[in-house]
Amino acid sequence: MEQPSGRIEELREQAAQARVRALEAHRGLIEELSGVWRELNELGGGPDVRKLRDRVAGDIARLEKLDLVFDAEWLEDVRQAAQRGGGA
């Protein structure tokens, strides 16, 4: 049975576009949370502010780690696509 290679390529492209949107969304969230963190930092403050600031900092760190994972996977996808294109 013949594989529908055209559809496979369409789905590959759709997945790549979704990954790019995910990267953009994460980076937007990182920027937004960084602004919140900066404002909390300027407020200084008591234990409640420090606790919230630490929690926001943790959220930023987790999103940055996830962003790095997506970047690494995306780069691998690009390498594989280049190999497929070069081998054709």
Side-chain angles (χ1 to χ4, degrees):
M1 186 171 174
E2 188 176 331
Q3 284 189 352
S5 60
R7 181 64 179 147
I8 292 170
E9 287 304 314
E10 288 174 7
L11 291 171
R12 184 175 283 127
E13 178 63 27
Q14 183 179 353
Q17 290 173 3
R19 286 186 191 104
V20 168
R21 287 192 308 274
L23 284 168
E24 291 170 349
H26 283 125
R27 289 178 181 157
L29 289 171
I30 290 168
E31 286 179 29
E32 182 178 351
L33 286 170
S34 294
V36 169
W37 183 88
R38 280 190 295 276
E39 191 168 339
L40 287 168
N41 198 43
E42 290 171 3
L43 291 174
D48 289 343
V49 174
R50 284 193 301 270
K51 184 177 180 179
L52 179 56
R53 186 178 59 222
D54 290 347
R55 184 173 182 154
V56 170
D59 291 342
I60 292 168
R62 283 185 289 281
L63 284 168
E64 286 174 338
K65 286 178 185 178
L66 186 56
D67 197 47
L68 289 173
V69 169
F70 280 142
D71 276 345
E73 289 179 0
W74 187 66
L75 286 173
E76 181 60 29
D77 287 348
V78 169
R79 282 189 207 114
Q80 289 177 2
Q83 288 175 350
R84 282 192 303 273

